[in-house]
């Protein structure tokens, strides 16, 4: 490991540095006459994911220049393959791409069932829908709460799709985990470390959304909070960051998707709906995300967007979602990957292909 110290470290700073280094099994050597660049060479013990942080936290350390010999848990070490996260039939990472779709919020149960059936037929392998909604205004619809969870449970049983749903409050983790196959941590909660600790205790798959103004380092360290507590099932989600313009709701950070695929072994999916904020931009942003290397998409779909109390403007129709699934299948095939779709969607694709239209050819 290589550290850069602030200029003019005092003898007491160096003493502390010596002590921390020795505790973690390192010997240190200064690489320059000014004694600000330090090389830490491991002499004992095994690398710990906390090694980097132990030095980064010291007041007289200006920065860690290289920590490749003390990787954190989310890091893609040389030669490390993608971690593949599987949920029901869905798989994210490596050669697999899957689609999560559904309404922003759980509202009417009949409607939820209708949407679930429609997205399953079109190629989704997981259903999204929030029972607890993180709304900017306390006067907006906050979600159907526990009653919403029950609706999700019944629809899950009827349709057979795994459920992705958000948990906002550590006190609800247990109840949400009873219904959810994937616990979603929303952008507003990314740095709620108490909540991250609580979801990690369930050992379930965690879909971690990037905060609207979070740096990549902050995003990865939020994932580390879950991983460090022994839950290895983390999927990262880029959903757009805050920009200076309001022409789109957020700015889909395509460069970061490509960057994350290099620096972490965790699957990375994209939420084009919250990035776009407008239904007509969802398809192009979905394509951009997949082209940048995303391992899946989470998309808001609604059969009656004018009736929903949450994010209607960005909801696409089942027909548009089916088109998105076809585009996704074709796109990921270009780089040797496969879109996983369920049996029903496979069969309907086979039919449309007979009619001469390309359908989502798929699966494992
Ligand atoms: C959502 O998925 O409905 C949501 C609130 O997303 P985000 O946390 O990314 O804003
Ligand atoms: Mn939403």
């Amino acid at each position: 490991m290589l550290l850069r110290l602030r200029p003019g470290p005092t003898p007491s700073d160096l003493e502390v540095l010596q002590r921390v280094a020795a505790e973690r099994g390192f010997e240190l050597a200064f690489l320059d006459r000014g004694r600000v660049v330090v090389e830490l060479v491991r002499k004992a013990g095994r690398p710990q994911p906390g090694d980097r942080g132990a030095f980064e936290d010291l007041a007289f350390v200006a920065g860690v220049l290289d920590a490749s010999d003390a990787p954190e848990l989310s890091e893609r070490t040389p030669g490390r393959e993608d971690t593949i996260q599987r949920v029901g039939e869905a798989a994210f990472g490596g050669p697999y791409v899957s689609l999560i779709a559904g309404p922003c919020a759980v509202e009417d149960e009949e409607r939820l069932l209708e949407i679930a059936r429609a997205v399953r037929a079109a190629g989704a392998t997981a259903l999204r829908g929030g029972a607890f909604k993180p709304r900017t205004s306390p006067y907006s619809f906050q979600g159907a709460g526990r009653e919403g969870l029950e609706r999700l449970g019944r629809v899950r049983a009827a349709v057979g799709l795994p459920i992705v749903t958000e948990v906002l409050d550590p006190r609800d983790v247990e109840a949400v985990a009873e219904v959810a196959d994937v616990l979603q941590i929303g952008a507003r909660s990314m740095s709620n470390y108490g909540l991250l600790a609580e979801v990690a205790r369930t050992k379930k798959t965690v879909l971690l959304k990037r905060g609207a103004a979070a740096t990549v380092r902050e995003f990865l360290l939020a994932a580390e909070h879950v991983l460090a507590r022994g839950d290895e099932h983390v999927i990262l989600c880029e959903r757009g960051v805050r920009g200076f313009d309001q022409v789109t709701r957020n700015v889909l950070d395509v460069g970061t998707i490509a960057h994350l695929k290099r620096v972490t072994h965790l699957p990375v999916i994209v939420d084009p709906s919250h990035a776009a904020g407008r239904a007509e931009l969802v398809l192009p942003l979905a394509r951009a995300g997949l082209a940048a290397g995303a391992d899946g998409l989470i998309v808001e779909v609604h059969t009656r967007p004018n009736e929903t109390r949450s994010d209607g403007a960005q909801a696409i129709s089942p027909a548009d979602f089916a088109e998105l699934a076809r585009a996704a299948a074709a796109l990921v095939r270009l780089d040797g990957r496969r879109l996983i779709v369920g049996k029903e969607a496979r069969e309907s694709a086979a039919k449309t292909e007979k009619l001469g239209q390309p359908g989502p050819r798929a699966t494992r």
Side-chain angles (χ1 to χ4, degrees), residues 103-105 128-130 132-136 164 166 168 184-190 207 209-212 237-240 249-250 271 273-275 298 300 310-311 314:
C104 176
R128 65 148 290 148
F132 296 99
K133 294 306 304 175
R135 303 304 296 279
T136 304
V164 181
E166 176 158 359
L168 268 174
Q184 178 176 324
I185 300 293
R188 292 159 189 79
S189 303
M190 185 204 84
L207 175 61
K209 296 186 118 187
R210 179 183 182 188
C237 179
E238 159 60 31
R239 43 76 79 201
R249 184 174 178 183
N250 287 288
D271 175 346
S273 306
H274 290 86
I298 178 166
E300 288 186 349
S310 189
D311 285 350
Q314 67 196 33

Side-chain angles (χ1 to χ4, degrees), residues 13-33:
D13 292 342
L14 297 179
E15 219 173 273
V16 173
L17 182 61
Q18 281 284 7
R19 178 165 51 74
V20 176
E23 277 166 10
R24 304 196 78 90
F26 292 103
E27 261 178 20
L28 54 88
F30 284 97
L31 299 186
D32 62 333
R33 278 221 237 137

Side-chain angles (χ1 to χ4, degrees), residues 112-170:
L112 180 64
L113 191 60
E114 171 183 281
I115 297 169
R117 291 199 167 119
V119 298
R120 185 187 61 183
T125 42
L127 176 68
R128 65 148 290 148
F132 296 99
K133 294 306 304 175
R135 303 304 296 279
T136 304
S137 164
Y139 307 116
S140 299
F141 173 57
Q142 306 291 305
R146 302 239 168 175
E147 170 55 33
L149 291 179
E150 285 168 24
R151 288 176 208 158
L152 279 171
R154 288 190 291 268
V155 169
R156 180 185 194 278
V159 179
L161 286 177
I163 301 291
V164 181
T165 195
E166 176 158 359
V167 57
L168 268 174
D169 187 319

Side-chain angles (χ1 to χ4, degrees), residues 47-281:
Q48 301 292 331
D51 285 341
R52 173 177 177 164
F55 295 102
E56 223 163 31
D57 286 346
L58 298 173
F60 50 87
V61 172
V64 175
L65 301 176
D66 179 54
S68 50
D69 52 352
E72 289 165 351
L73 297 171
S74 71
E75 261 178 64
R76 188 192 288 280
T77 46
R80 172 129 189 204
E81 300 286 325
D82 276 14
T83 295
I84 298 169
Q85 299 294 351
R86 293 175 191 276
V87 186
E89 280 194 271
F92 304 90
Y96 304 123
V97 174
S98 301
L99 306 178
I100 305 165
C104 176
V106 176
E107 293 174 270
D108 179 75
E109 187 164 332
E110 275 305 301
R111 188 74 58 232
L112 180 64
L113 191 60
E114 171 183 281
I115 297 169
R117 291 199 167 119
V119 298
R120 185 187 61 183
T125 42
L127 176 68
R128 65 148 290 148
F132 296 99
K133 294 306 304 175
R135 303 304 296 279
T136 304
S137 164
Y139 307 116
S140 299
F141 173 57
Q142 306 291 305
R146 302 239 168 175
E147 170 55 33
L149 291 179
E150 285 168 24
R151 288 176 208 158
L152 279 171
R154 288 190 291 268
V155 169
R156 180 185 194 278
V159 179
L161 286 177
I163 301 291
V164 181
T165 195
E166 176 158 359
V167 57
L168 268 174
D169 187 319
R171 291 168 295 188
D172 294 322
V173 167
E174 215 179 300
V176 175
E178 269 175 38
V179 180
D181 299 275
V182 177
L183 296 161
Q184 178 176 324
I185 300 293
R188 292 159 189 79
S189 303
M190 185 204 84
S191 4
N192 183 342
Y193 305 125
L195 180 62
L196 295 176
E198 213 45 43
V199 296
R201 278 157 52 94
T202 68
K203 304 285 185 280
K204 289 212 162 196
T205 305
V206 177
L207 175 61
L208 178 65
K209 296 186 118 187
R210 179 183 182 188
T215 63
V216 170
R217 178 91 183 122
E218 287 162 347
F219 188 22
L220 288 172
L221 284 175
E224 199 77 12
H225 272 268
V226 179
L227 300 168
R229 286 184 165 80
D231 187 347
E232 298 170 352
H233 310 290
V234 177
I235 300 171
L236 301 173
C237 179
E238 159 60 31
R239 43 76 79 201
V241 289
R242 183 161 293 197
F244 56 84
D245 201 343
Q246 263 131 52
V247 71
T248 55
R249 184 174 178 183
N250 287 288
V251 180
L252 183 67
D253 191 353
V254 178
T256 284
I257 300 162
H259 172 76
L260 285 170
K261 287 301 299 172
R262 299 180 75 87
V263 299
T264 175
H265 57 91
L266 299 171
V268 180
I269 70 166
V270 164
D271 175 346
S273 306
H274 290 86
R278 276 152 54 199
E280 68 272 23
L281 299 184

